[in-house]
Amino acid sequence: MRISFFLFLILLATGYPISVQSTTPTTEPNGTSPTAPSPNPSPSIQPIQEPKPSPPPTWSDGFSAGALVRFRPEMKYNFDFNRNTNDNVDFTGQKIQFFVQKEFTKDVIAKVTFQDSRLWGAEKGSLTGIATANDGTRQSTDVREAYIESKNNFGFPLHVQAGRQILRYGDERLVGSLDWTNVGRSFDGLRFKWEDKFFSSHLFVTSVSERHSDIAGNTTNFGVKSQYNTYLDCPYNGTKVCTPKIDAQRQELGDSYFTGFYNTLKPSDYLHIDLYYLGLQKEYLRTNNSLVLTTGEVGNPNTRAGRWDVLHTYGIRVTNKTQASKKALQAIDYSFEYATQTGTTGRNITPKWDSFQTNVSLVDPLTSTTYQQNLYREKERYKTFAFGADIGYTISKVRMGVAYDVGSGDPNRTDGSIASFQNLFHTNHFFYGMADQVSWVNMKSKSVNISYATESYGTFRIDYFAIEKHKLQDSWYDLVGNAKSGASTESIANNQYDVSQVLTENGTGNNRPVSMLGRSLFREVDVKYNLPFKNILIEGGYSMIFAGDAIQNKVNDRTVNANVYTNQFSKTAQFAYLMVTAQF
């Protein structure tokens, strides 16, 4: 006992921690006994561990990459509805994309997407099997996207995106990516985005064409050129000899800008309202590069040299398709859109009230040449509209839908008003027929559809379209909005009451009477099936197109060959494709 006491004093003097254990069990206030002590207790104080340093950031933090490979064989048969011409087309298009994205912080990202778009067997080296991809015939590889985006600036949900980017708004009827095509569409510009739960607003400014080259070798295809390439202008129906023309129209365009202010009100997940303004401004230049610019070129009312084409588009869209992939939370889904356009084309033309064509002769003081100019002039103005409606009802896995679309046409293309709707930068493939035979210009489309979506075996869909002209006098406009002159019956002016038969190809002054014009363009039946498998999507489609009287009366044109009439019309056209897309 005495030895133990001395050991205790020594340990106490040296500062060694001492734990005193009682051999008599104690009782907790709640009446329970504590856990019995370990027979070999360890010291109660543990050594302090230093915190491990965080590993330094690496280049791979916030880095992501991906790729897309798509190829699509296509077949088009008898798209001019003429049995005497061979216009059958078949080819295989291929698109390859590779993107890299880097998140420098949670609010600053950069993305670059490279794309190669080509046709199988289109390179000159394909025939010999050498240099099939790099024989210098054309530039097939380009940059689809290249932008920097800064989010949540100044403590607000304000994002800024600058560079080459893809714009998609609403149903993409006016601004879309056009990804169905083998190339697609991108814009070079600046975009400000305000994004919150109940409201989003986008303001963008993009450059569509640039007339000036820089000093470092970057050149442009726009602006005034001293030389022009020639091309062969061939009639659509192939019944006349092709004539060489100068490609001056492409060189006539200068600086062009596409701007927009797109706003979406989101009061609930069952209703979104879009209100937007879209502006397209195009500068037209003189068409030659001579040192002496004649007065007639800049003063002629039929030219736009030195003037701006300014188009304003105002629109509203109401929909309950607020979920991903344009889905609705309700059994009934709907989308309604209306747009109207104003502005001036840059041309000063003869007023429509001047039926006598009051012209005067003027002398150019620089060249002493005489040219004609109308005594009265007025600005040519845009005055158009378009409407689209799509309604569907879903029962389990089956959706049934109806749609109605109208794009205004121009009954008189010689007056001071442009009434044909301008379809801007659309993605129309989903709305007016899978064969892409018409745009939202001078058309009325009525359609019904039914689709069946399975969980494991893909989606099957059938569409039926009945498409006719909005104004009989106006032309038939193709997918990109170009007039297909000579493909259907039309009249350049509003010859409303004349009933006489015209014996020339274009009528008297290209002015067939309305009584001889057709209304129906075509009927179309589309069948489509897609099957997802892991990262691969297999899709196939087939279309049957049946021409209407507006096409038939032009192919079998009795006004041209009244005495030697022949039947060249073939009513049916076909379109088919098989598309395989892999994403990873």
Side-chain angles (χ1 to χ4, degrees):
M1 180 67 182
R2 184 174 297 175
I3 296 174
S4 299
F5 179 75
F6 283 116
L7 289 174
F8 174 78
L9 293 176
I10 294 171
L11 294 175
L12 184 63
T14 58
Y16 191 87
I18 299 173
S19 174
V20 179
Q21 300 290 343
S22 174
T23 57
T24 304
T26 59
T27 304
E28 297 291 332
N30 59 6
T32 60
S33 297
T35 305
S38 173
N40 296 313
S42 58
S44 60
I45 297 180
Q46 301 294 330
I48 299 175
Q49 296 181 353
E50 295 291 337
K52 295 182 179 180
S54 300
T58 64
W59 67 270
S60 61
D61 293 341
F63 177 84
S64 60
L68 176 145
V69 178
R70 189 186 82 180
F71 65 88
R72 183 174 69 222
E74 298 183 38
M75 181 275 291
K76 300 178 181 180
Y77 171 74
N78 193 37
F79 270 29
D80 66 352
F81 301 97
N82 191 326
R83 69 174 76 251
N84 294 340
T85 61
N86 182 9
D87 64 331
N88 300 337
V89 174
D90 61 87
F91 59 87
T92 298
Q94 176 178 285
K95 176 191 294 186
I96 300 175
Q97 291 181 350
F98 175 76
F99 80 86
V100 291
Q101 180 172 303
K102 172 67 175 178
E103 295 184 6
F104 299 99
T105 68
K106 67 176 182 178
D107 290 331
V108 179
I109 66 172
K111 183 179 181 181
V112 179
T113 301
F114 302 96
Q115 175 175 285
D116 181 86
S117 177
R118 63 182 62 246
L119 300 177
W120 286 7
E123 306 294 348
K124 290 184 177 180
S126 301
L127 187 61
T128 59
I130 59 174
T132 55
N134 296 291
D135 65 352
T137 56
R138 61 180 59 86
Q139 184 70 33
S140 298
T141 304
D142 202 353
V143 177
R144 179 74 188 277
E145 293 177 287
Y147 64 82
I148 297 176
E149 184 172 7
S150 175
K151 301 181 179 180
N152 301 313
N153 295 279
F154 309 108
F156 297 101
L158 174 63
H159 317 319
V160 182
Q161 187 175 356
R164 176 164 294 185
Q165 51 195 284
I166 297 173
L167 302 183
R168 298 184 182 93
Y169 288 107
D171 291 323
E172 301 188 38
R173 292 177 183 266
L174 292 174
V175 185
S177 62
L178 204 64
D179 278 327
W180 163 258
T181 66
N182 209 37
V183 178
R185 181 186 292 121
S186 301
F187 294 87
D188 297 323
L190 179 65
R191 178 162 49 158
F192 298 91
K193 301 185 288 186
W194 181 283
E195 299 283 357
D196 62 27
K197 182 178 180 181
F198 298 106
F199 177 71
S200 73
S201 180
H202 289 199
L203 175 66
F204 62 86
V205 179
T206 66
S207 177
V208 179
S209 65
E210 173 57 56
R211 60 176 292 194
H212 296 116
S213 301
D214 68 7
I215 62 174
N218 289 319
T219 59
T220 178
N221 287 324
F222 299 96
V224 177
K225 306 293 180 182
S226 58
Q227 294 182 348
Y228 303 104
N229 296 326
T230 59
Y231 69 99
L232 289 178
D233 181 27
C234 303
Y236 185 84
N237 56 13
T239 58
K240 291 186 65 179
V241 178
C242 300
T243 56
K245 290 188 176 181
I246 297 177
D247 187 13
Q249 177 64 32
R250 181 176 66 89
Q251 311 292 358
E252 188 184 11
L253 189 62
D255 292 336
S256 299
Y257 305 98
F258 181 52
T259 60
F261 185 40
Y262 202 99
N263 307 279
T264 301
L265 308 176
K266 300 177 282 187
S268 75
D269 289 338
Y270 300 96
L271 176 65
H272 282 186
I273 302 173
D274 296 346
L275 300 170
Y276 58 84
Y277 163 78
L278 304 171
L280 181 60
Q281 300 85 29
K282 297 182 290 186
E283 179 189 15
Y284 284 91
L285 309 172
R286 54 191 176 91
T287 57
N288 68 71
N289 201 21
S290 62
L291 296 177
V292 178
L293 179 63
T294 63
T295 305
E297 186 175 0
V298 296
N300 190 334
N302 295 320
T303 181
R304 286 187 278 200
R307 304 191 184 106
W308 284 83
D309 182 325
V310 180
L311 175 66
H312 305 289
T313 303
Y314 307 89
I316 181 173
R317 173 177 171 265
V318 180
T319 184
N320 69 342
K321 300 178 184 180
T322 63
Q323 305 303 299
S325 301
K326 299 292 191 298
K327 300 293 184 180
L329 295 176
Q330 301 166 300
I332 297 179
D333 61 80
Y334 61 84
S335 180
F336 303 98
E337 185 166 357
Y338 176 82
T340 183
Q341 293 175 329
T342 62
T344 58
T345 69
R347 295 178 60 196
N348 291 332
I349 66 171
T350 302
K352 58 183 177 182
W353 49 263
D354 185 15
S355 58
F356 295 101
Q357 300 289 310
T358 311
N359 293 333
V360 294
S361 297
L362 300 177
V363 178
D364 189 335
L366 297 178
T367 61
S368 299
T369 58
T370 302
Y371 62 94
Q372 295 291 317
Q373 181 168 299
N374 191 264
L375 185 62
Y376 309 104
R377 290 181 293 173
E378 68 178 5
K379 291 184 178 180
E380 189 176 47
R381 300 182 180 275
Y382 291 106
K383 189 177 181 181
T384 79
F385 75 92
F387 174 75
D390 183 10
I391 304 174
Y393 181 68
T394 302
I395 306 175
S396 184
K397 300 176 183 179
V398 178
R399 181 188 182 274
M400 297 169 287
V402 296
Y404 176 77
D405 301 280
V406 56
S408 63
D410 197 338
N412 187 356
R413 285 171 282 171
T414 62
D415 62 8
S417 174
I418 298 293
S420 301
F421 188 73
Q422 309 298 300
N423 207 181
L424 296 179
F425 304 100
H426 58 80
T427 303
N428 280 339
H429 179 73
F430 308 102
F431 301 111
Y432 319 126
M434 194 165 58
D436 292 325
Q437 286 297 286
V438 69
S439 59
W440 210 13
V441 186
N442 190 37
M443 56 85 79
K444 290 193 290 186
S445 172
K446 306 169 187 176
S447 65
V448 295
N449 60 79
I450 183 170
S451 60
Y452 177 68
T454 67
E455 295 181 358
S456 304
Y457 300 100
T459 302
F460 181 79
R461 174 167 175 149
I462 300 177
D463 290 79
Y464 173 78
F465 294 89
I467 298 179
E468 60 187 30
K469 288 187 175 185
H470 177 248
K471 295 298 182 182
L472 277 60
Q473 300 94 321
D474 205 352
S475 186
W476 169 19
Y477 293 83
D478 64 11
L479 173 65
V480 296
N482 293 329
K484 299 176 66 170
S485 300
S488 66
T489 57
E490 58 185 278
S491 174
I492 197 67
N494 189 10
N495 193 1
Q496 188 79 347
Y497 305 107
D498 190 359
V499 295
S500 62
Q501 187 176 36
V502 184
L503 299 180
T504 61
E505 181 181 3
N506 292 323
T508 303
N510 198 14
N511 194 20
R512 282 183 171 80
V514 175
S515 60
M516 301 181 64
L517 304 179
R519 179 177 299 276
S520 172
L521 284 173
F522 56 86
R523 307 289 188 267
E524 181 174 331
V525 179
D526 297 338
V527 179
K528 183 173 70 175
Y529 174 71
N530 63 61
L531 175 65
F533 177 73
K534 296 183 178 179
N535 292 336
I536 298 176
L537 178 65
I538 303 173
E539 180 178 311
Y542 177 74
S543 302
M544 290 284 290
I545 306 111
F546 306 95
D549 60 345
I551 299 175
Q552 180 178 2
N553 292 346
K554 179 58 181 177
V555 177
N556 289 343
D557 198 339
R558 286 180 165 84
T559 66
V560 177
N561 299 311
N563 298 323
V564 288
Y565 170 74
T566 59
N567 183 15
Q568 305 177 82
F569 177 66
S570 179
K571 186 174 185 178
T572 305
Q574 301 177 65
F575 169 71
Y577 73 94
L578 176 64
M579 184 167 66
V580 179
T581 306
Q583 287 183 284
F584 49 90

